[in-house]
Amino acid sequence: MNKNSIKVEKLSKNFVNNKVVVNVLNNLNFNLETGKIIALVGPSGSGKSTLLHLLALLDKPTDGKITIFGEPTQNITENKRNQLIRNHISIIFQNNNLLLDFTAVENVAMPLIIRNKNYNSSIKEAESYLKKVNLGHRLDHFPSDLSGGEQQRVAIARSLISDTKIILADEPTGNLDNKNSSEVLSYFLKLKQKNKIVLIATHNREIAKKADYTLSIRDGIIKTSNGK
Ligand SMILES: Nc1ncnc2c1ncn2[C@@H]1O[C@H](COP(=O)(O)OP(=O)(O)O)[C@@H](O)[C@H]1O
Ligand SMILES: [Mg+2]
């Protein structure tokens, strides 16, 4: 059992819409290894977000197995599932899910605060992470006073501070212009050097080109391309 990978076996996901069963993911098999950036591509509605939610353990598959760093995730208790998420997984959503009533630095500190770390030292650490994404001058801004690119960088800093091995990003540059997209991409490339698994659902060609390889979903089936 590989302790450095996410192993996906015979993974299927159906949704029922108006009594019609929609088979979104059909018998997917693949591994994701640490130290790689993988682009997840596919037309809108092909199941990218569905797959990210399953890998983040936020939803359950209809069938199949996801094994995270050697730990099976099916039939586990809620506690165990929360523990796996807390220890290993960060997800960045397209609309970045920042808490609107909290400043940039508080948003970034949140993963530490909910782990019961001391408030002041959490804020200090959050400041240093915001500096890493060049937002040292925006610490006390609220999300509504930040540009889309800045908000997305706050979300990235928040995913960095928990220092999880798995970073799942759902169209992180979907709302950004080219300049901001390139900036966000450069931070993902840095994460790769930290031996993480970075899986990015994206339509952005630059990201797909710079990724180590691409997983493409179409008609419920997944294919690997330009695999290195
Ligand atoms: N909670 C849900 N209930 C019913 N159908 C859903 C649900 N979530 C996603 N779907 C359907 O699954 C398909 C894949 O959606 P999604 O994973 O969001 O695609 P993508 O992220 O690639 O655009 C779509 O047809 C969508 O309507
Ligand atoms: Mg989506």
Side-chain angles (χ1 to χ4, degrees), residues 134-150:
N134 294 331
L135 284 177
H137 57 309
R138 293 282 187 270
L139 301 177
D140 296 321
H141 281 55
F142 286 91
S144 55
D145 299 328
L146 297 170
S147 73
E150 288 172 337

Side-chain angles (χ1 to χ4, degrees), residues 113-216:
I113 293 167
I114 60 179
R115 284 176 174 83
N116 290 325
K117 257 195 97 165
N118 171 279
Y119 181 85
N120 287 335
S121 64
S122 301
I123 294 286
K124 272 232 146 53
E125 207 171 324
E127 283 176 14
S128 77
Y129 275 88
L130 277 169
K131 284 178 190 154
K132 282 186 199 173
V133 297
N134 294 331
L135 284 177
H137 57 309
R138 293 282 187 270
L139 301 177
D140 296 321
H141 281 55
F142 286 91
S144 55
D145 299 328
L146 297 170
S147 73
E150 288 172 337
Q151 290 181 23
Q152 208 50 285
R153 280 187 278 153
V154 174
I156 291 175
R158 186 179 54 181
S159 71
L160 292 181
I161 204 167
S162 7
D163 203 25
T164 59
K165 276 269 184 226
I166 302 169
I167 308 235
L168 305 168
D170 199 355
E171 303 200 30
T173 62
N175 297 327
L176 306 182
D177 58 25
N178 280 342
K179 180 174 168 284
N180 277 313
S181 296
S182 303
E183 228 167 70
V184 166
L185 174 61
S186 69
Y187 295 111
F188 283 116
L189 291 170
K190 278 190 200 156
L191 292 180
K192 171 183 144 89
Q193 293 155 5
K194 298 183 85 185
N195 213 25
K196 295 180 188 279
I197 296 175
V198 185
L199 178 64
I200 311 175
T202 188
H203 292 289
N204 182 304
R205 287 206 192 142
E206 197 191 348
I207 294 185
K209 225 162 54 193
K210 295 217 167 121
D212 291 296
Y213 63 94
T214 303
L215 289 177
S216 48

